[in-house]
Amino acid sequence: MGAYAEHIKTVCNRFDKALDDNHFESVLIYSGQPRVDFLDDNAPPYRVNPLFKYWVPVTESPKSAIFYRKGSQRPTVYLFQARDFWHAAVSIPEEEWQQHVDLKIIDDLSMLTEDLGSELEQSAFIGEDFAQPVSDWKVKARNPQALIDHLHFHRSIKTEWEVDNLREANRLAAKAHVAAKEAFYAGKSELEIHHAYLGAIDFRESQVPYNSIVALNSHSAILHYDVYDTVPPKQIRSFLIDAGARYRGYCADITRSYAYEEGFYADLVEAMDKAQQELLSEIKPGASYYDLHVSMHLKVAQILSDFDFIKGDAQSIYDKGYTSAFMPHGLGHFIGLQVHDVGGFLKDDKGTSYERSERHPFLRLLRDIEVGHVFTIEPGLYVVDQLLEEHKDSADINWDKVDELRPYGGVRIEDSIVVGSDGNENLTRDAFKELGAE
Ligand code: GLY
Ligand code: MN
Ligand code: MN
């Protein structure tokens, strides 16, 4: 059986169980549609419902839907193709997935409701329903949380086909990262680097999975920096790029940090890279991702000590809360159909949640590690003055050193890892290696 055939079988089985446990006969998954801006007739780029693209790699077909009857092992895909002279027809190339579904082309949503008749009333509806006629459809339930939790819990284990797509997404992103790095060393502005990134893989901006962070110098300490200066700084020091790509709806999310010249910042990047690789070697089925996050804090604490940012040993630096000021975000997150893929807080498929950690409130993944999980590992260290404020009277902190790092911003290294039973796969480093780039 091919990888997609296996994938859709797994998806059918997961839906069978989820529908059964939640007492639904069937489900209708709406792909969504663009929502126009306030007082306007333009819409931001359309983003497909992730549970729609879980079934089929169709990401550009608004107003489409998937109907699945429990136990049938074969979904119906209602593919919307507008018959009007305003829009280009969506081209759907002939692909393997079409052999595994009943495909019905529609140009009006009434064709879907007529086809389904009274079955719709027994269905769970999953999708956005802000517009008519979808908002008027008589269904058994709209976006039932228990059904969604069930699906989200199991979505964390990726099928082979999903891993293939993530591998390809990483290849695309790595290629673009190489172009961005070259543009950085050629002295380009943030916007020019951003364009070099997109150009290298023929992407338009709406195709990347999140706003790329393209940050020179101190901008890299702004965790979601995405405003892009149009001129390069007078003195170029550092470059942090956190940017991804999508392939068949699956996401890559890669961060690299570069020093413009040899020196203290280059050493810091090297130390972070080493710490990141040590963390990768700690990933094992059964281990807790939370413990890995704490291990990361201790490694960051060691770097803070080694580079003379803070007095003391790693444990005391962590215990006093200093690492949270320098490294405020989580170690990483699930990745898949969504960049921050779902299910990181779910304990089981009944929707029981882990409580968010008070000590580490931004950590999005609290589950134990399992074979088939795919997640990021992204340690970092930054000068965020707002967070350092709390420690402003601390004599442990070497403020001269903090001042030295401030114009460089920060450093982060981020890869995506597939957990295996006998070793893990680093999708990101493998992609760079294939390019001869790392
Ligand atoms: N680029 C978003 C993240 O790393 O989580
Ligand atoms: Mn990430
Ligand atoms: Mn990232």
Side-chain angles (χ1 to χ4, degrees):
M1 202 185 276
Y4 178 75
E6 285 279 6
H7 170 76
I8 196 162
K9 192 160 178 275
T10 301
V11 175
C12 287
N13 293 342
R14 287 179 182 172
F15 270 80
D16 283 344
K17 184 80 172 65
L19 291 170
D20 206 44
D21 280 13
N22 290 283
H23 316 292
F24 292 106
E25 288 310 308
S26 53
V27 63
L28 184 72
I29 301 155
Y30 187 55
S31 69
Q33 64 191 77
R35 190 199 288 251
V36 295
D37 294 334
F38 181 57
L39 299 181
D40 201 355
D41 59 2
N42 272 299
Y46 161 74
R47 291 245 175 147
V48 63
N49 175 351
L51 284 168
F52 181 93
K53 60 177 174 169
Y54 190 30
W55 285 90
V56 289
V58 174
T59 57
E60 301 299 335
S61 282
K63 294 191 175 180
S64 298
I66 288 164
F67 179 77
Y68 181 70
R69 191 179 299 111
K70 190 171 66 187
S72 67
Q73 294 281 307
R74 195 169 173 90
T76 302
V77 178
Y78 294 95
L79 200 65
F80 191 93
Q81 302 217 295
R83 275 207 298 176
D84 69 29
F85 47 84
W86 300 106
H87 304 102
V90 182
S91 97
I92 304 286
E94 239 178 66
E95 287 184 327
E96 189 194 347
W97 65 266
Q98 289 147 19
Q99 295 164 22
H100 300 273
V101 306
D102 291 327
L103 184 61
K104 297 188 179 179
I105 306 295
I106 57 171
D107 59 24
D108 192 302
L109 285 169
S110 64
M111 294 167 79
L112 176 154
T113 41
E114 275 165 29
D115 198 52
L116 289 175
S118 61
E119 266 199 291
L120 202 52
E121 289 166 31
Q122 298 309 315
S123 281
F125 171 91
I126 301 181
E128 282 200 293
D129 59 356
F130 57 84
Q132 285 180 318
V134 182
S135 53
D136 295 336
W137 288 347
K138 298 225 170 345
V139 292
K140 188 167 176 194
R142 287 177 179 268
N143 295 316
Q145 195 58 49
L147 179 67
I148 290 174
D149 283 345
H150 198 297
L151 295 165
H152 282 184
F153 179 76
H154 293 289
R155 237 175 73 187
S156 67
I157 307 290
K158 303 299 187 268
T159 65
E160 274 304 315
W161 184 75
E162 293 186 291
V163 173
D164 285 347
N165 293 334
L166 289 164
R167 209 175 272 130
E168 202 53 42
N170 273 270
R171 287 188 181 121
L172 282 166
K175 184 175 174 200
H177 268 260
V178 171
K181 177 184 172 182
E182 283 167 7
F184 164 63
Y185 284 115
K188 303 290 185 189
S189 70
E190 290 169 343
L191 188 63
E192 287 168 323
I193 298 171
H194 175 58
H195 288 155
Y197 185 96
L198 296 173
I201 48 175
D202 282 338
F203 267 41
R204 42 203 290 184
E205 200 167 42
S206 59
Q207 287 174 291
V208 288
Y210 56 92
N211 286 352
S212 300
I213 295 159
V214 180
L216 294 174
N217 295 354
S218 60
H219 292 159
S220 63
I222 302 167
L223 295 176
H224 287 166
Y225 178 82
D226 61 2
V227 291
Y228 315 147
D229 274 351
T230 54
V231 288
K234 285 200 177 63
Q235 188 178 348
I236 302 173
R237 295 186 170 90
S238 61
F239 175 40
L240 183 152
I241 174 164
D242 181 343
R246 279 209 218 105
Y247 182 74
R248 289 178 174 267
Y250 286 82
C251 304
D253 175 8
I254 302 178
T255 308
R256 289 293 181 265
S257 304
Y258 302 104
Y260 197 64
E261 290 168 352
E262 294 296 298
F264 128 89
Y265 180 78
D267 296 342
L268 192 63
V269 173
E270 200 182 317
M272 190 59 73
D273 190 61
K274 185 163 165 280
Q276 198 256 13
Q277 300 210 43
E278 282 166 16
L279 284 164
L280 298 178
S281 71
E282 293 172 20
I283 300 170
K284 303 225 162 33
S288 128
Y289 193 88
Y290 180 88
D291 290 347
L292 210 59
H293 174 85
V294 173
S295 173
M296 180 266 287
H297 267 263
L298 290 169
K299 290 184 200 324
V300 168
Q302 190 62 53
I303 292 174
L304 289 168
S305 169
D306 291 347
F307 281 76
D308 198 25
F309 283 102
I310 308 183
K311 279 204 221 73
D313 61 275
Q315 190 65 50
S316 71
I317 289 172
Y318 172 68
D319 290 344
K320 289 179 184 171
Y322 294 137
T323 50
S324 298
F326 283 92
M327 162 64 213
H329 57 80
L331 170 64
H333 47 85
F334 282 143
I335 186 160
L337 288 163
Q338 291 159 266
V339 179
H340 294 157
D341 216 19
V342 291
F345 295 112
L346 287 171
K347 242 183 208 173
D348 58 35
D349 62 16
K350 307 281 172 264
T352 319
S353 286
Y354 286 96
E355 267 189 38
R356 285 216 186 207
S357 156
E358 268 181 42
R359 175 76 202 266
H360 299 288
F362 299 117
L363 180 58
R364 300 163 186 272
L365 178 44
L366 297 177
R367 280 164 75 163
D368 287 350
I369 296 167
E370 290 179 56
V371 174
H373 278 175
V374 184
F375 48 67
T376 66
I377 295 287
E378 45 183 303
L381 186 166
Y382 321 84
V383 176
V384 184
D385 286 316
Q386 191 188 337
L387 297 174
L388 290 172
E389 182 97 331
E390 184 188 336
H391 304 291
K392 66 180 190 313
D393 301 323
S394 166
D396 294 333
I397 298 182
N398 177 352
W399 293 101
D400 289 341
K401 201 72 196 171
V402 174
D403 290 343
E404 194 182 340
L405 178 59
R406 187 176 291 102
Y408 295 83
V411 49
R412 176 165 69 256
I413 316 275
E414 176 178 25
D415 294 341
S416 289
I417 308 301
V418 186
V419 181
S421 50
D422 190 20
N424 309 314
E425 177 178 351
N426 188 321
L427 297 171
T428 310
R429 289 193 190 245
D430 289 355
F432 279 115
K433 268 188 213 133
E434 275 178 29
L435 296 168
E438 272 190 7

